[in-house]
Amino acid sequence: MDFILYFDEDLLAGFAYMIKNNRYAAILYLDVNSAVRGRGYGGQILGLIKEASASKEVILNIESLDEHAPNAEQRVKRLAFYEKNGFTLCLYLIRKLGVDFAVMNQTGQLVPFDYQDIFDYFSFGLGDVLIRPINQ
């Protein structure tokens, strides 16, 4: 597991929480300091993650789009941000702790069993994670 802080001199620009295996670098959480959002730090952080994970497929999850969700607008913006930075929706959802998340990577292709393995490994098989096609 990696918990990485990103600084611009003395300013904490953001952080990422990731897990990795031999195939994937999975971004579990990425946050940009709210005081500097909109200044390109998020894209720069993603670029650094891609660079540091060049031998792996970088993959992430975002809350599924739901027009009735209290944060529906934020979900749309998040999707647009990741698409702008080269990520594509895969045809799978991941369910963690009863909540559906859309899976994104740079190809739109996913081997669900391999991706499931990374969560099973890091949760010691105790996690509540299920990957399924988007249309089920």
Side-chain angles (χ1 to χ4, degrees):
M1 287 185 222
D2 295 332
F3 184 78
I4 308 161
L5 302 174
Y6 297 92
F7 286 89
D8 184 356
E9 296 184 14
D10 291 337
L11 173 71
L12 175 62
F15 68 91
Y17 175 61
M18 302 175 59
I19 55 177
K20 297 176 183 176
N21 66 8
N22 61 343
R23 180 175 181 155
Y24 295 110
I27 301 171
L28 299 180
Y29 192 79
L30 172 69
D31 190 47
V32 174
N33 182 338
S34 60
V36 297
R37 283 197 188 125
R39 296 187 197 170
Y41 285 105
Q44 289 178 46
I45 291 170
L46 280 175
L48 291 169
I49 289 170
K50 290 177 197 176
E51 189 177 301
S53 306
S55 65
K56 301 180 184 309
E57 182 177 348
V58 178
I59 196 159
L60 57 92
N61 307 314
I62 61 170
E63 292 173 296
S64 298
L65 297 183
D66 177 356
E67 64 186 38
H68 303 294
N71 67 340
E73 184 178 336
Q74 183 184 48
R75 292 179 185 202
V76 170
K77 288 180 180 179
R78 204 172 278 140
L79 173 64
F81 165 75
Y82 287 116
E83 287 178 333
K84 175 182 162 188
N85 284 281
F87 287 84
T88 303
L89 283 171
C90 298
L91 298 176
Y92 291 88
L93 292 174
I94 183 167
R95 180 168 276 248
K96 294 189 288 189
L97 303 173
V99 178
D100 285 335
F101 292 85
V103 180
M104 299 185 81
N105 64 12
Q106 293 173 282
T107 65
Q109 304 297 314
L110 179 72
V111 178
F113 300 111
D114 287 348
Y115 193 44
Q116 178 82 46
D117 285 347
I118 194 171
F119 288 101
D120 290 346
Y121 176 78
F122 282 98
S123 68
F124 304 102
L126 302 173
D128 177 24
V129 175
L130 173 69
I131 298 172
R132 63 182 170 79
I134 225 165
N135 58 0
Q136 287 187 351

